[in-house]
Amino acid sequence: MMTTTSSTMMAGPTPILRVRNLSVSAIASGAKLTDAVSFDVGAGEFLAVVGESGSGKTMVARSVLGLLAAGVQVDAGEILLGDESLLKATPKRMRELRGGTVGMVFQEPMVSLNPAIRIGEQMAEGLRLHTQLGKPEVEAACVAMLKRVQIANPLQCMRSFPHEFSGGMRQRIMLASVMLLKPKLLIADEPTTALDTLTQLEVLDIMVSLARTDGTAVLLITHNLGLVSRYADKAIVMQSGKVVEAGEAKTLLRSPRHPYTKQLVDALPKRGNKVVGDVDLQPILQVKNLVVNYPGRRAGWFTKPVSNRAVDGVDLTVNQAETVAVVGGSGCGKTSLGRAMLRLNSAASGEILFRGQPMQDLNGNALHDFRMACQLVFQDPYSSLNPRMRVADIVAEPLNHTAMGHDDKMQLVAQVMEEVGLNKLGQRFGHELSGGQRQRVAIARAIVRRPAFVVADEPVSALDMTIQAQILALFAELQRAHQFACLFISHDLAAVEQIADRVIVMQSGKIVEEGSRDDIFDRPQHAYTRALLAARMAT
Amino acid sequence: MTASSNRWHFNAIAGYSLVGAIALIAVVAVFWTPYDPLHLSVRNKLQAPSLAHWLGTDELGRDVASRAMAGAATSCWVALLSVLFAVTSGTVIGLLAGFIRGWTDRIMMAFNDTLLAFPGILLALAIMVIVGANQYGIIIALGLAYAPMVVRVVRGSVLSIREKEYIEASVMIGNNPVVTMLRHVLPNCVAPIAVLATSMFGWVILSESALSFLGLGVPPPAPTWGNMLSGSRSYIQSAVWLGLVPGVCISLTLLGVNLLGDHLRDRLDPRIQ
């Protein structure tokens, strides 16, 4: 494997970054985090490092930057930036290189910009540290760079604070402040994982065009194979600290040779079989002309806050055993719609019918009965489980509201834990489980009472690709077994394609297109649907 | 890894032993002290520590060791009950204010912030005047004076916890608000409450001594560490042991309680084990 790596990658002129046989290990346990990793990145070249959480891909990036966590050390190998060995560089020299010659963009645009400092000052900070430019030149450079990342009003942007921007804009600003110093190498660690599909493309398109123009080498760390196929020239695939496959990105994805790469490629969502047949459909939950408001900012102390429409006149029917996907970018109202359907937030007007009965004005016992038949699965498996309860207790809790005896309960809990693939883990706490396992617990809690209707709000967006595939498969299987109706909320069309029967596309609180999955994916009518489909990462 | 867990182990043992020893002394003092802590003997006044009087005698010839033992019983009892009172009432109010929100919250917090604006000692003083200077008056006064701080801390944690998705999951399960509050919100507020309660224990002992100094504490001649400390002030140069003994007692108690508090906080948090 190592020989193929070298031969394919040594083709161009002297590469900007050469990593040779890099081995990193944890000092205390001696566990190898990366094992003899080698690769090259040339000027203007885009190399993707692909792998799941824990595969050691972030360790590689951190060793290049000299930012390994305490308790982790480099055992062997060499990292050459141009002709300079980074492992032998002094801390002072590393500080000069970091930011100046090697730029970095991190995953969370919410935390990588300092919320207390104006954008202009944050951008200027790097230039002041690494160059001798005067104030007017610094400002001119910032404005020019913000224009290049397509910020509409650069001067106003520089006077603003980070919280005034959306995630995508923040990540573009972050990119601008990094590229301002014209680094030779840009390291991007999962730069778009926290963003929705359309925004991901926007940010990466800009990143690629900036890098190409300035001749910057890019090292992209990601778990998303779709992004790799779309942007990367070369890719290396990592598993448990080892490079298992390396080569041209396109070839690697089209004809993977290593079993693990094959597994990753197979985990890319594919169109699944239809869950329901064409039997006569029974509507479980319907909404008619639903409007949901959320309070906006107050203009003055004594005026009423102006409300904004989150959901603006939506009609929707979900039939028994059917999966209806609601798709749209962040802020399109899809989450508000799902929550209003469960009466978790109140609708301003419109009707909600459950098995033909109006639900919008219920409260007390009647609302409780409705809740008994509905459930919700959340996006973030890290905050949806009470950290002080054991898994079995979490799954058993919904049964407290049924008339079941203790033994029956325990039996049902055991059965459901087995169904979701978690048997023997009942005595663990949530924090002792992986993200995928936690999401399984959340699903078990949702289905233990055999609900008729489940809202799944972005249930897989926080998970690795292979785990996503497993959770989606589990969901489909459970739905086949228990015949519940499902409203699947997602920004990720790939996941939707795998699981949905019908698709609803939302934009600014309104449904812009509705149809069967095949119609939407094969014959999209609305321009927004087409844009979303184009953003879907096809291999 | 091993080094830090050893240190934790050591801290926990130190905390348990200190608190255990003081509790033991306090219990013993109820039944037996070397001398009668109230017995005056002007002939023996201000004696330095000796074999007869291990820790010397005070300005009225009372045995300091006996008074420190009896003081442990009163001071710790007063501090324990005041802290329990403050924590219980503060937790209930903070939980309700943070969970119900709206006008309930606004009114409760406006009242609470008014109380918080007074220095604790001043508030306790005012309450003491109303309820009268006796042992139970002081418990009510100190408890009420320190409760607003607990309200603030609990309400803050409740506000952040109620936004977590597992709270919403509890609503979807069909739990009523009381169950949600007791099973899902309250247990996740325990860590800040435990930390606050243990540091409050120290403040309460000191406040009690300040009140005693002003003549509103546990009424003399009953010994508390606080009134022993304030009584020793005039003799700080001639009879150092008079201030040193209650001072060291208070310090050791606080150290023990704080170590114990840290340990309890970690034991109560499943994420750290």
Side-chain angles (χ1 to χ4, degrees):
Chain A
M1 193 50 62
M2 250 58 266
T3 51
T4 47
T5 314
S6 319
S7 63
T8 49
M9 292 209 170
M10 290 293 268
T14 328
I16 298 235
L17 177 73
R18 281 174 288 175
V19 173
R20 288 285 168 273
N21 295 322
L22 180 71
S23 295
V24 174
S25 70
I27 296 170
S29 61
K32 284 205 166 176
L33 303 173
T34 75
D35 190 2
V37 171
S38 303
F39 60 85
D40 294 338
V41 201
E45 202 170 53
F46 202 123
L47 174 82
V49 181
V50 191
E52 288 178 36
S53 335
S55 63
K57 57 193 197 302
T58 296
M59 284 301 156
V60 171
R62 293 200 156 260
S63 339
V64 172
L65 295 165
L67 289 175
L68 284 175
V72 177
Q73 65 177 8
V74 175
D75 292 332
E78 196 158 25
I79 303 174
L80 294 168
L81 183 72
D83 293 318
E84 189 175 356
S85 169
L86 293 187
L87 292 178
K88 293 190 190 103
T90 59
K92 182 164 176 288
R93 178 68 187 141
M94 283 309 290
R95 279 200 299 277
E96 284 167 19
L97 290 175
R98 252 181 255 139
T101 318
V102 184
M104 9 173 193
V105 178
F106 298 104
Q107 174 169 359
E108 282 290 340
M110 309 293 162
V111 294
S112 50
L113 288 169
N114 184 338
I117 304 180
R118 288 174 204 278
I119 301 285
E121 284 165 52
Q122 286 192 59
M123 289 183 72
E125 194 177 12
L127 281 179
R128 257 187 271 126
L129 277 174
H130 294 281
T131 64
Q132 311 291 324
L133 293 179
K135 213 174 170 193
E137 286 109 314
V138 167
E139 194 175 312
C142 290
V143 169
M145 187 45 94
L146 283 173
K147 273 193 189 136
R148 286 182 71 191
V149 298
Q150 295 167 19
I151 297 288
N153 192 342
L155 281 174
Q156 193 194 335
C157 165
M158 286 172 63
R159 282 195 302 270
S160 308
F161 287 99
H163 71 263
E164 296 172 46
F165 298 94
S166 69
M169 283 175 92
R170 270 186 250 196
Q171 203 60 307
R172 272 171 18 213
I173 292 167
M174 190 68 214
L175 190 63
S177 64
V178 170
M179 294 303 286
L180 203 49
L181 292 153
K182 302 221 178 334
K184 286 194 188 126
L185 174 68
L186 174 67
I187 298 180
D189 191 352
E190 304 265 11
T192 57
T193 309
L195 306 174
D196 75 34
T197 335
L198 280 178
T199 322
Q200 280 190 358
L201 286 206
E202 206 178 271
V203 171
L204 283 172
D205 281 343
I206 291 172
M207 183 188 284
V208 168
S209 82
L210 285 182
R212 291 264 150 79
T213 327
D214 296 359
T216 307
V218 180
L219 186 65
L220 173 77
I221 313 242
T222 184
H223 70 267
N224 190 333
L225 278 185
L227 295 181
V228 175
S229 73
R230 197 170 182 120
Y231 293 104
D233 305 313
K234 292 173 185 170
I236 61 175
V237 180
M238 288 186 68
Q239 183 191 21
S240 335
K242 287 200 178 70
V243 176
V244 295
E245 193 159 354
E248 297 291 327
K250 297 264 168 348
T251 354
L252 196 138
L253 291 179
R254 209 170 299 128
S255 44
R257 276 169 301 168
H258 191 273
Y260 181 69
T261 321
K262 282 191 186 131
Q263 194 190 328
L264 281 180
V265 173
D266 287 341
L268 282 171
K270 290 175 194 63
R271 199 170 295 193
N273 298 322
K274 283 200 132 192
V275 179
V276 273
D278 290 327
V279 286
D280 58 334
L281 298 167
Q282 249 188 313
I284 293 283
L285 204 92
Q286 286 173 287
V287 297
K288 288 181 183 160
N289 202 11
L290 189 76
V291 176
V292 179
N293 293 330
Y294 62 93
R297 213 181 258 194
R298 273 166 202 260
W301 277 25
F302 300 104
T303 51
K304 275 208 151 188
V306 188
S307 46
N308 298 316
R309 289 247 145 121
V311 178
D312 192 1
V314 164
D315 296 292
L316 172 64
T317 304
V318 186
N319 298 307
Q320 175 158 17
E322 184 189 39
T323 301
V324 176
V326 180
V327 186
S330 344
C332 75
K334 55 191 194 301
T335 296
S336 303
L337 172 66
R339 296 164 55 88
M341 285 170 81
L342 295 176
R343 294 276 328 266
L344 274 172
N345 51 14
S346 50
S349 65
E351 268 188 292
I352 304 168
L353 301 172
F354 177 66
R355 297 198 161 116
Q357 301 299 312
M359 290 291 136
Q360 66 273 20
D361 300 319
L362 292 185
N363 44 39
N365 284 341
L367 179 61
H368 186 257
D369 290 345
F370 171 58
R371 290 260 162 83
M372 295 296 282
C374 296
Q375 272 308 316
L376 177 59
V377 178
F378 299 91
Q379 168 172 12
D380 181 4
Y382 290 91
S383 81
S384 64
L385 307 180
N386 184 343
R388 287 178 183 271
M389 283 172 75
R390 291 179 196 275
V391 167
D393 297 332
I394 291 175
V395 177
E397 204 189 353
L399 299 176
N400 290 349
H401 297 278
T402 59
M404 289 173 89
H406 182 260
D407 292 345
D408 291 348
K409 263 192 218 168
M410 289 300 106
Q411 210 183 336
L412 181 55
V413 168
Q415 187 197 331
V416 170
M417 296 282 281
E418 174 127 23
E419 277 182 79
V420 299
L422 283 179
N423 34 353
K424 301 201 183 101
L425 295 180
Q427 290 312 305
R428 299 256 188 114
F429 285 102
H431 65 97
E432 295 168 319
L433 302 176
S434 68
Q437 285 172 329
R438 283 167 149 256
Q439 202 58 301
R440 283 166 193 265
V441 177
I443 291 172
R445 172 176 61 191
I447 63 156
V448 71
R449 227 157 43 190
R450 306 296 180 221
F453 176 60
V454 175
V455 172
D457 190 355
E458 305 261 15
V460 295
S461 353
L463 305 172
D464 272 353
M465 290 298 265
T466 48
I467 310 294
Q468 281 191 14
Q470 290 166 13
I471 297 287
L472 287 175
L474 172 71
F475 220 85
E477 190 186 310
L478 290 171
Q479 204 178 11
R480 239 187 325 273
H482 302 300
Q483 298 285 306
F484 54 84
C486 176
L487 188 77
F488 189 89
I489 298 169
S490 180
H491 69 259
D492 181 9
L493 276 174
V496 166
E497 185 171 13
Q498 181 171 345
I499 198 166
D501 299 306
R502 273 193 303 132
V503 179
I504 280 162
V505 183
M506 279 184 77
Q507 188 185 19
S508 329
K510 289 197 166 77
I511 294 184
V512 295
E513 190 166 356
E514 178 172 5
S516 75
R517 176 193 58 194
D518 294 352
D519 280 345
I520 295 278
F521 278 82
D522 299 336
R523 296 171 287 280
Q525 304 297 318
H526 194 274
Y528 185 67
T529 316
R530 292 213 190 96
L532 279 175
L533 280 171
R536 180 174 53 136
M537 320 282 167
T539 35
Chain B
M1 196 67 191
T2 45
S4 76
S5 61
N6 272 342
R7 201 190 66 217
W8 276 114
H9 209 56
F10 173 77
N11 281 358
I13 291 174
Y16 277 117
S17 341
L18 276 171
V19 171
I22 289 156
L24 188 70
I25 290 173
V27 171
V28 168
V30 175
F31 303 103
W32 175 84
T33 47
Y35 294 85
D36 179 357
L38 304 182
H39 177 73
L40 306 180
S41 156
V42 182
R43 203 181 325 145
N44 291 331
K45 71 170 187 175
L46 292 177
Q47 281 186 0
S50 64
L51 273 179
H53 296 282
W54 298 341
L55 298 175
T57 59
D58 68 4
E59 71 276 16
L60 299 172
R62 295 174 294 195
D63 180 49
V64 173
S66 307
R67 285 181 68 76
M69 281 175 74
T74 10
S75 288
C76 291
W77 186 238
V78 166
L80 190 69
L81 288 184
S82 311
V83 169
L84 274 181
F85 184 54
V87 165
T88 323
S89 55
T91 305
V92 170
I93 294 172
L95 204 56
L96 288 176
F99 198 75
I100 301 174
R101 305 279 298 275
W103 277 106
T104 321
D105 181 30
R106 269 177 238 171
I107 292 166
M108 279 175 164
M109 290 322 284
F111 184 66
N112 192 64
D113 290 347
T114 315
L115 289 184
L116 210 52
F118 285 102
I121 192 77
L122 199 64
L123 192 63
L125 207 64
I127 300 167
M128 284 298 290
V129 172
I130 299 168
V131 295
N134 60 54
Q135 193 169 328
Y136 293 95
I138 200 170
I139 289 167
I140 294 172
L142 289 174
L144 283 179
Y146 283 100
M149 221 182 293
V150 184
V151 173
R152 267 277 160 210
V153 169
V154 172
R155 177 175 171 273
S157 329
V158 171
L159 285 184
S160 80
I161 289 165
R162 74 194 297 282
E163 297 305 318
K164 297 267 165 123
E165 290 177 339
Y166 55 81
I167 302 303
E168 202 150 61
S170 168
V171 174
M172 278 312 296
I173 282 169
N175 286 335
N176 65 37
V178 178
V179 174
T180 303
M181 203 160 74
L182 294 182
R183 190 176 328 175
H184 295 286
V185 179
L186 183 60
N188 287 295
C189 305
V190 166
I193 297 177
V195 174
L196 185 66
T198 48
S199 31
M200 229 159 62
F201 194 85
W203 304 333
V204 167
I205 288 189
L206 294 178
S207 300
E208 186 273 320
S209 72
L211 284 178
S212 301
F213 180 71
L214 295 169
L216 282 168
V218 176
T224 70
W225 288 341
N227 62 25
M228 286 173 73
L229 198 61
S230 52
S232 74
R233 224 174 31 111
S234 338
Y235 307 95
I236 192 86
Q237 288 185 335
S238 53
V240 168
W241 61 90
L242 280 188
L244 216 52
V245 171
V248 168
C249 287
I250 292 175
S251 311
L252 287 180
T253 313
L254 297 199
L255 182 65
V257 169
N258 277 305
L259 289 178
L260 195 64
D262 285 352
H263 174 67
L264 283 181
R265 181 198 57 203
D266 295 347
R267 276 297 297 275
L268 290 171
D269 190 341
R271 280 163 292 197
I272 292 178
Q273 276 165 30

